[in-house]
Amino acid sequence: MSNGDSYTVKDALDYLSKIEINNLHTTYHFNIRTDERKSDIPDANGVVNIILNDTPCGIFKLSEGKFKLIYNLNHDDDFVVIISIKNSDPVRINLVSCFPDEAKKRRREDV
C-alpha cells in the first residue's frame, strides 16, 4: 500500500491481479443493483468471475480507497464495477456497485 489508507491505481491493479474469491465481498447496495439490472449485466457470481478472470480495460481512482473498473461487455457497452479496498493485509475488496455504460464514452472517435 502507498501511504495510510490512500491506495493508488497501481495498488488496486496489484491486488486485483492476486486476489481470490474469498477476498471479494458484496455489499447490500451491490446486491440490490445486480438484482435490479439483471437483464443488462451479469449476476453477482458473474461479476466476481469477471473480476477474478478478466483484466479491466480502464481504471479510475474515485476516492482514497474507491475505484471504478471498466470491462468490455460487448461491442456497444462497457461494464463498470465500483470497488472499495478495505484492507491490504489480508486484501479485502468490497464490491460497491455495477452498471452497463456506453463504450463510446471511453473510445476515441478517430480510432
Side-chain angles (χ1 to χ4, degrees):
M1 185 173 83
S2 293
N3 55 40
D5 291 329
S6 181
Y7 296 95
T8 66
V9 169
K10 184 178 182 306
D11 293 327
L13 288 172
D14 186 48
Y15 296 149
L16 288 169
S17 71
K18 298 175 185 172
I19 61 170
E20 296 178 6
I21 195 165
N22 61 335
N23 300 113
L24 296 172
H25 303 273
T26 59
T27 62
Y28 178 73
H29 178 80
F30 177 84
N31 290 327
I32 288 173
R33 294 299 175 246
T34 55
D35 188 51
E36 288 176 349
R37 300 171 178 143
K38 61 185 165 196
S39 64
D40 298 321
I41 62 170
D43 64 9
N45 289 330
V47 175
V48 168
N49 284 331
I50 288 170
I51 292 171
L52 292 175
N53 298 310
D54 295 350
T55 301
C57 61
I59 182 169
F60 297 95
K61 182 174 181 172
L62 301 175
S63 64
E64 295 303 312
K66 196 177 282 188
F67 296 87
K68 177 180 182 178
L69 308 177
I70 302 171
Y71 295 91
N72 289 319
L73 183 60
N74 57 46
H75 178 71
D76 295 323
D77 296 310
D78 286 334
F79 180 60
V80 175
V81 181
I82 307 297
I83 64 166
S84 177
I85 300 172
K86 292 301 185 185
N87 196 22
S88 61
D89 189 22
V91 173
R92 178 187 169 98
I93 296 176
N94 284 354
L95 304 179
V96 177
S97 192
C98 59
F99 51 90
D101 198 17
E102 290 182 64
K104 70 180 181 180
K105 289 182 181 179
R106 171 179 60 80
R107 294 188 185 131
R108 290 177 38 175
E109 293 295 322
D110 60 346
V111 175

